[in-house]
Amino acid sequence: MNTTLNKSQSKWITTSTIGVILCALLLFLYPKGYILGTVILLVISITAGFYKKLTWHKNLTLLAITIIIFTIPHIISLIQASGDISSVKKAARGIPLLLAGAFLIRFKPKQQFVYASFSLSLIIAFIIMVNEQMTGFNRANYAGFNINPLMIAIVAVMSFTLPNIHTNNIKLRILTYSGLILGATTIIMSESKGAFLALLTVLLIFLCMPSNLKRVSKKAYAGIICLLVLGSIAVMSIGTNNPLVSRVSDASRNFITHIENPNSDEKESSTSIRLELWKGALVLLSEKPIFGYGTFPAHKRMGELYDEGYLAKYMGKYTQTHFHSMYFQALGNRGLFGLSTVILLLLIPGYILLKHKLINPTYSLSGLLVIISYIVTGIADVSLSSTSASSTYFVLILLCVSQVSAYKVEAHPAKAK
């Protein structure tokens, strides 16, 4: 009897491992890969549910409540805007994955294979980037991806894999370092300022975290420091002609210039456009502070602000875009209530991961670093509204939360003879 149970358990664990591996490998393989990966994982979970192989946990209940609350202001925005259904779909995309969480709690995938597959996904992203560079890189169309959400997703996966540098498996350690190095190279080649800043932040926080939150040897510390130093030397050695260095330098200069002379219309840049959009979002917040305008009415009001001369002259073609910030997007479209739900979606998973960190410290730290990466990238991009970036967030958070959630195997007493 026990042998049969062990074989069944082993098969389901193998199945859960395969599901997560496919989800990871398809993430960056092609533009809709994240959809296929999550569908495969959900089909496996539904099948497990048919055989009564799912285990619900209070952590999933807390996550479910958080995601539903996060979705509510989007529904209010839909009612106000009469048609912005895509926003609701993106906000609620984490709800079906709760089913996968219930499956992964019951049958925890093999950790080394999970981390190996996500490291491979970073290598896949690098290979595609190299191909793009060889065929003529265009930031507006990177292999069918939207470049900014894709780079946010890559930073999230790097944050997830980073804690695995302490593994005793030398092959997996080499694979993890390769994924991290090539992932960082992909971000540098993409010229993505926000993603690069988020990656630096994650690395610095990781190095400064208390030792009781991570199990990293002195060799691993030395390796990370060497990686940072060599990476910095590589970037700086390219000089000011490096596109990323130039973009960062231009952004800093444009920020200072715009702050000093906000009414100047001489310079149009991604930085000045963002600052103007955020200024408009604050006006919208002051007018409708609780629930905001809703997506389309917010666009209309931004157009009116432009006509009134409140926004810079070059903003005419940008009043109908999103606010280029996860936080200002929430404020402008969904008000203070919307912003509070964004903060909850970031903090509640962090609370769960910290509370249960002793069950699986590696997954706990991985999830916390993922959350940090989204907090930073969300400053200048709509990280939780973009498809690939938001899907990656929900997948990684559900994976990490499920792996720090305890599952007690029920006893099966022997039948009386």
Side-chain angles (χ1 to χ4, degrees):
M1 180 68 177
N2 288 336
T3 303
T4 303
L5 287 173
N6 289 336
K7 286 183 178 180
S8 176
Q9 182 86 359
S10 179
K11 287 180 180 179
W12 282 111
I13 290 174
T14 300
T15 303
S16 72
T17 304
I18 292 172
V20 175
I21 288 174
L22 291 175
C23 191
L25 295 180
L26 291 169
L27 196 59
F28 305 135
L29 193 59
Y30 66 102
K32 299 299 181 181
Y34 67 91
I35 296 178
L36 180 58
T38 52
V39 167
I40 291 173
L41 193 56
L42 283 173
V43 168
I44 292 174
S45 302
I46 292 171
T47 304
F50 179 78
Y51 288 100
K52 299 181 179 180
K53 297 293 184 179
L54 302 181
T55 296
W56 194 260
H57 192 280
K58 60 182 180 181
N59 288 340
L60 294 182
T61 301
L62 191 54
L63 268 186
I65 294 172
T66 304
I67 297 173
I68 290 171
I69 292 175
F70 175 68
T71 308
I72 290 175
H74 292 269
I75 295 174
I76 295 174
S77 178
L78 170 63
I79 296 171
Q80 293 173 320
S82 302
D84 187 24
I85 190 67
S86 63
S87 176
V88 178
K89 290 179 179 178
K90 291 174 183 177
R93 68 174 68 245
I95 294 176
L97 285 171
L98 292 167
L99 188 66
F103 174 59
L104 297 176
I105 288 175
R106 179 74 171 270
F107 302 102
K108 297 185 182 296
K110 297 178 181 179
Q111 182 168 302
Q112 61 180 356
F113 289 103
V114 171
Y115 279 94
S117 60
F118 278 102
S119 296
L120 283 172
S121 72
L122 293 171
I123 296 173
I124 290 172
F126 170 75
I127 292 172
I128 295 175
M129 174 58 81
V130 170
N131 180 66
E132 291 291 308
Q133 292 283 345
M134 293 176 65
T135 56
F137 176 64
N138 183 356
R139 282 183 53 82
N141 183 23
Y142 166 84
F145 288 94
N146 186 316
I147 190 70
N148 287 334
L150 177 64
M151 291 305 118
I152 293 170
I154 288 175
V155 172
V157 173
M158 292 181 68
S159 303
F160 174 80
T161 58
L162 184 59
N164 202 46
I165 61 171
H166 72 262
T167 177
N168 294 324
N169 186 325
I170 185 62
K171 293 181 180 179
L172 181 55
R173 186 182 298 174
I174 292 173
L175 185 61
T176 301
Y177 271 98
S178 299
L180 289 170
I181 292 170
L182 296 181
T185 304
T186 304
I187 292 169
I188 292 171
M189 294 170 73
S190 75
E191 308 167 23
S192 182
K193 305 186 297 292
F196 186 68
L197 175 62
L199 179 58
L200 289 179
T201 304
V202 167
L203 286 170
L204 290 173
I205 289 176
F206 177 75
L207 288 172
C208 296
M209 274 184 168
S211 58
N212 63 338
L213 288 178
K214 59 185 184 297
R215 296 177 300 169
V216 184
S217 65
K218 292 181 180 179
K219 289 183 179 179
Y221 266 122
I224 284 292
I225 293 172
C226 288
L227 179 63
L228 284 171
V229 171
L230 291 175
S232 300
I233 292 173
V235 172
M236 297 309 296
S237 65
I238 299 174
T240 55
N241 292 326
N242 176 260
L244 178 60
V245 173
S246 298
R247 282 171 61 82
V248 172
S249 176
D250 289 342
S252 302
R253 183 169 56 254
N254 292 333
F255 177 82
I256 295 172
T257 301
H258 193 84
I259 294 299
E260 291 177 344
N261 188 9
N263 297 320
S264 174
D265 294 331
E266 297 179 0
K267 184 75 173 178
E268 174 185 339
S269 66
S270 62
T271 302
S272 63
I273 291 169
R274 280 176 166 82
L275 291 172
E276 288 293 302
L277 287 170
W278 299 349
K279 182 172 72 173
L282 292 176
V283 173
L284 270 58
L285 173 67
S286 67
E287 295 174 346
K288 291 196 175 183
I290 307 302
F291 297 115
Y293 270 88
T295 305
F296 298 136
H299 290 167
K300 181 181 177 181
R301 181 60 183 134
M302 286 292 287
E304 292 172 353
L305 289 176
Y306 174 76
D307 294 336
E308 295 167 5
Y310 186 77
L311 301 177
K313 291 181 180 179
Y314 52 78
M315 290 298 296
K317 56 185 176 181
Y318 300 110
T319 58
Q320 305 304 302
T321 66
H322 59 70
F323 288 92
H324 289 277
S325 169
M326 180 169 68
Y327 309 109
F328 284 99
Q329 176 85 349
L331 287 174
N333 288 354
R334 303 183 295 279
L336 292 173
F337 179 52
L339 178 62
S340 65
T341 64
V342 169
I343 294 172
L344 276 178
L345 191 64
L346 295 168
L347 295 186
I348 295 300
Y351 163 76
I352 295 171
L353 294 168
L354 276 174
K355 185 178 180 181
H356 302 283
K357 66 180 183 294
L358 296 180
I359 295 176
N360 193 315
T362 303
Y363 274 111
S364 176
L365 181 52
S366 289
L368 290 171
L369 293 177
V370 168
I371 292 170
I372 290 169
S373 73
Y374 276 85
I375 289 174
V376 177
T377 55
I379 296 172
D381 216 307
V382 286
S383 306
L384 292 176
S385 299
S386 303
T387 50
S388 60
S390 61
S391 296
T392 303
Y393 177 79
F394 285 118
V395 167
L396 292 178
I397 291 302
L398 260 298
L399 175 59
C400 292
V401 168
S402 67
Q403 299 313 287
V404 301
S405 300
Y407 167 63
K408 296 180 180 179
V409 181
E410 295 180 0
H412 295 275
K415 294 182 179 179
K417 295 182 180 180

mmCIF file of all heavy atoms in Angstrom, residues 31-52:
data_model
loop_
_atom_site.group_PDB
_atom_site.id
_atom_site.type_symbol
_atom_site.label_atom_id
_atom_site.label_comp_id
_atom_site.label_asym_id
_atom_site.label_seq_id
_atom_site.Cartn_x
_atom_site.Cartn_y
_atom_site.Cartn_z
ATOM 1 N N PRO A 31 6.515 35.492 -28.221
ATOM 2 C CA PRO A 31 5.655 36.482 -27.547
ATOM 3 C C PRO A 31 4.494 35.922 -26.740
ATOM 4 O O PRO A 31 4.145 36.485 -25.703
ATOM 5 C CB PRO A 31 5.161 37.348 -28.714
ATOM 6 C CG PRO A 31 6.264 37.272 -29.713
ATOM 7 C CD PRO A 31 6.810 35.888 -29.607
ATOM 8 N N LYS A 32 3.861 34.856 -27.189
ATOM 9 C CA LYS A 32 2.724 34.299 -26.456
ATOM 10 C C LYS A 32 3.114 33.061 -25.646
ATOM 11 O O LYS A 32 2.258 32.301 -25.207
ATOM 12 C CB LYS A 32 1.591 33.948 -27.426
ATOM 13 C CG LYS A 32 1.053 35.136 -28.206
ATOM 14 C CD LYS A 32 0.467 36.196 -27.291
ATOM 15 C CE LYS A 32 -0.090 37.376 -28.075
ATOM 16 N NZ LYS A 32 -0.637 38.429 -27.206
ATOM 17 N N GLY A 33 4.412 32.881 -25.446
ATOM 18 C CA GLY A 33 4.877 31.703 -24.722
ATOM 19 C C GLY A 33 4.384 31.652 -23.295
ATOM 20 O O GLY A 33 4.086 30.580 -22.765
ATOM 21 N N TYR A 34 4.289 32.815 -22.656
ATOM 22 C CA TYR A 34 3.834 32.847 -21.263
ATOM 23 C C TYR A 34 2.392 32.338 -21.150
ATOM 24 O O TYR A 34 2.017 31.750 -20.134
ATOM 25 C CB TYR A 34 3.950 34.253 -20.694
ATOM 26 C CG TYR A 34 3.020 35.259 -21.312
ATOM 27 C CD1 TYR A 34 1.761 35.490 -20.775
ATOM 28 C CD2 TYR A 34 3.398 35.989 -22.438
ATOM 29 C CE1 TYR A 34 0.890 36.406 -21.337
ATOM 30 C CE2 TYR A 34 2.544 36.910 -23.002
ATOM 31 C CZ TYR A 34 1.291 37.108 -22.458
ATOM 32 O OH TYR A 34 0.438 38.018 -23.028
ATOM 33 N N ILE A 35 1.588 32.563 -22.196
ATOM 34 C CA ILE A 35 0.210 32.071 -22.186
ATOM 35 C C ILE A 35 0.190 30.553 -22.252
ATOM 36 O O ILE A 35 -0.487 29.884 -21.463
ATOM 37 C CB ILE A 35 -0.596 32.669 -23.351
ATOM 38 C CG1 ILE A 35 -0.724 34.177 -23.194
ATOM 39 C CG2 ILE A 35 -1.982 32.023 -23.430
ATOM 40 C CD1 ILE A 35 -1.471 34.858 -24.319
ATOM 41 N N LEU A 36 0.955 29.992 -23.208
ATOM 42 C CA LEU A 36 0.991 28.536 -23.359
ATOM 43 C C LEU A 36 1.532 27.879 -22.099
ATOM 44 O O LEU A 36 1.016 26.857 -21.641
ATOM 45 C CB LEU A 36 1.855 28.161 -24.568
ATOM 46 C CG LEU A 36 1.995 26.660 -24.854
ATOM 47 C CD1 LEU A 36 0.623 26.033 -25.060
ATOM 48 C CD2 LEU A 36 2.887 26.426 -26.071
ATOM 49 N N GLY A 37 2.573 28.471 -21.517
ATOM 50 C CA GLY A 37 3.166 27.904 -20.309
ATOM 51 C C GLY A 37 2.190 27.853 -19.153
ATOM 52 O O GLY A 37 2.079 26.832 -18.459
ATOM 53 N N THR A 38 1.462 28.951 -18.933
ATOM 54 C CA THR A 38 0.495 28.968 -17.838
ATOM 55 C C THR A 38 -0.695 28.056 -18.126
ATOM 56 O O THR A 38 -1.236 27.443 -17.201
ATOM 57 C CB THR A 38 -0.004 30.399 -17.570
ATOM 58 O OG1 THR A 38 -0.474 30.981 -18.798
ATOM 59 C CG2 THR A 38 1.112 31.255 -17.015
ATOM 60 N N VAL A 39 -1.084 27.961 -19.399
ATOM 61 C CA VAL A 39 -2.187 27.058 -19.760
ATOM 62 C C VAL A 39 -1.811 25.608 -19.466
ATOM 63 O O VAL A 39 -2.609 24.832 -18.924
ATOM 64 C CB VAL A 39 -2.569 27.224 -21.245
ATOM 65 C CG1 VAL A 39 -3.473 26.075 -21.710
ATOM 66 C CG2 VAL A 39 -3.275 28.551 -21.472
ATOM 67 N N ILE A 40 -0.578 25.222 -19.821
ATOM 68 C CA ILE A 40 -0.111 23.858 -19.543
ATOM 69 C C ILE A 40 -0.152 23.578 -18.048
ATOM 70 O O ILE A 40 -0.637 22.533 -17.603
ATOM 71 C CB ILE A 40 1.315 23.654 -20.092
ATOM 72 C CG1 ILE A 40 1.303 23.657 -21.621
ATOM 73 C CG2 ILE A 40 1.921 22.350 -19.564
ATOM 74 C CD1 ILE A 40 2.694 23.631 -22.244
ATOM 75 N N LEU A 41 0.333 24.531 -17.260
ATOM 76 C CA LEU A 41 0.352 24.360 -15.802
ATOM 77 C C LEU A 41 -1.073 24.264 -15.253
ATOM 78 O O LEU A 41 -1.346 23.466 -14.349
ATOM 79 C CB LEU A 41 1.097 25.530 -15.165
ATOM 80 C CG LEU A 41 1.498 25.393 -13.691
ATOM 81 C CD1 LEU A 41 2.347 24.149 -13.475
ATOM 82 C CD2 LEU A 41 2.255 26.636 -13.228
ATOM 83 N N LEU A 42 -1.984 25.048 -15.804
ATOM 84 C CA LEU A 42 -3.365 25.017 -15.342
ATOM 85 C C LEU A 42 -4.066 23.722 -15.736
ATOM 86 O O LEU A 42 -4.852 23.171 -14.954
ATOM 87 C CB LEU A 42 -4.136 26.213 -15.912
ATOM 88 C CG LEU A 42 -3.875 27.554 -15.229
ATOM 89 C CD1 LEU A 42 -4.561 28.685 -15.990
ATOM 90 C CD2 LEU A 42 -4.344 27.531 -13.789
ATOM 91 N N VAL A 43 -3.787 23.229 -16.930
ATOM 92 C CA VAL A 43 -4.384 21.958 -17.373
ATOM 93 C C VAL A 43 -3.934 20.826 -16.450
ATOM 94 O O VAL A 43 -4.736 19.968 -16.048
ATOM 95 C CB VAL A 43 -4.002 21.655 -18.831
ATOM 96 C CG1 VAL A 43 -4.374 20.213 -19.202
ATOM 97 C CG2 VAL A 43 -4.704 22.623 -19.774
ATOM 98 N N ILE A 44 -2.652 20.809 -16.099
ATOM 99 C CA ILE A 44 -2.136 19.805 -15.171
ATOM 100 C C ILE A 44 -2.831 19.928 -13.813
ATOM 101 O O ILE A 44 -3.221 18.922 -13.211
ATOM 102 C CB ILE A 44 -0.603 19.968 -15.010
ATOM 103 C CG1 ILE A 44 0.112 19.609 -16.315
ATOM 104 C CG2 ILE A 44 -0.088 19.087 -13.869
ATOM 105 C CD1 ILE A 44 1.606 19.888 -16.284
ATOM 106 N N SER A 45 -3.005 21.169 -13.360
ATOM 107 C CA SER A 45 -3.644 21.396 -12.054
ATOM 108 C C SER A 45 -5.111 20.983 -12.068
ATOM 109 O O SER A 45 -5.613 20.406 -11.098
ATOM 110 C CB SER A 45 -3.522 22.877 -11.669
ATOM 111 O OG SER A 45 -2.161 23.274 -11.630
ATOM 112 N N ILE A 46 -5.810 21.264 -13.155
ATOM 113 C CA ILE A 46 -7.216 20.862 -13.282
ATOM 114 C C ILE A 46 -7.338 19.346 -13.281
ATOM 115 O O ILE A 46 -8.241 18.772 -12.648
ATOM 116 C CB ILE A 46 -7.831 21.452 -14.560
ATOM 117 C CG1 ILE A 46 -7.938 22.982 -14.420
ATOM 118 C CG2 ILE A 46 -9.213 20.856 -14.834
ATOM 119 C CD1 ILE A 46 -8.319 23.687 -15.703
ATOM 120 N N THR A 47 -6.405 18.692 -13.978
ATOM 121 C CA THR A 47 -6.385 17.228 -13.996
ATOM 122 C C THR A 47 -6.159 16.688 -12.585
ATOM 123 O O THR A 47 -6.820 15.738 -12.158
ATOM 124 C CB THR A 47 -5.269 16.713 -14.929
ATOM 125 O OG1 THR A 47 -5.461 17.266 -16.235
ATOM 126 C CG2 THR A 47 -5.292 15.194 -15.009
ATOM 127 N N ALA A 48 -5.235 17.303 -11.852
ATOM 128 C CA ALA A 48 -4.980 16.895 -10.469
ATOM 129 C C ALA A 48 -6.222 17.109 -9.613
ATOM 130 O O ALA A 48 -6.542 16.299 -8.732
ATOM 131 C CB ALA A 48 -3.797 17.678 -9.900
ATOM 132 N N GLY A 49 -6.933 18.194 -9.874
ATOM 133 C CA GLY A 49 -8.163 18.450 -9.132
ATOM 134 C C GLY A 49 -9.216 17.392 -9.403
ATOM 135 O O GLY A 49 -9.973 17.008 -8.492
ATOM 136 N N PHE A 50 -9.282 16.904 -10.622
ATOM 137 C CA PHE A 50 -10.228 15.843 -10.972
ATOM 138 C C PHE A 50 -9.958 14.582 -10.150
ATOM 139 O O PHE A 50 -10.877 13.847 -9.778
ATOM 140 C CB PHE A 50 -10.110 15.532 -12.469
ATOM 141 C CG PHE A 50 -11.018 14.436 -12.946
ATOM 142 C CD1 PHE A 50 -12.369 14.675 -13.170
ATOM 143 C CD2 PHE A 50 -10.524 13.149 -13.173
ATOM 144 C CE1 PHE A 50 -13.212 13.663 -13.605
ATOM 145 C CE2 PHE A 50 -11.360 12.135 -13.606
ATOM 146 C CZ PHE A 50 -12.707 12.392 -13.830
ATOM 147 N N TYR A 51 -8.669 14.346 -9.857
ATOM 148 C CA TYR A 51 -8.284 13.187 -9.039
ATOM 149 C C TYR A 51 -8.189 13.540 -7.552
ATOM 150 O O TYR A 51 -7.636 12.765 -6.771
ATOM 151 C CB TYR A 51 -6.939 12.628 -9.519
ATOM 152 C CG TYR A 51 -7.021 11.909 -10.844
ATOM 153 C CD1 TYR A 51 -6.628 12.538 -12.023
ATOM 154 C CD2 TYR A 51 -7.497 10.598 -10.920
ATOM 155 C CE1 TYR A 51 -6.700 11.882 -13.246
ATOM 156 C CE2 TYR A 51 -7.571 9.935 -12.137
ATOM 157 C CZ TYR A 51 -7.174 10.590 -13.293
ATOM 158 O OH TYR A 51 -7.255 9.928 -14.505
ATOM 159 N N LYS A 52 -8.693 14.731 -7.188
ATOM 160 C CA LYS A 52 -8.688 15.192 -5.800
ATOM 161 C C LYS A 52 -7.278 15.260 -5.225
ATOM 162 O O LYS A 52 -7.011 14.801 -4.121
ATOM 163 C CB LYS A 52 -9.578 14.296 -4.929
ATOM 164 C CG LYS A 52 -11.042 14.283 -5.366
ATOM 165 C CD LYS A 52 -11.881 13.402 -4.471
ATOM 166 C CE LYS A 52 -13.351 13.415 -4.920
ATOM 167 N NZ LYS A 52 -14.198 12.550 -4.063
#
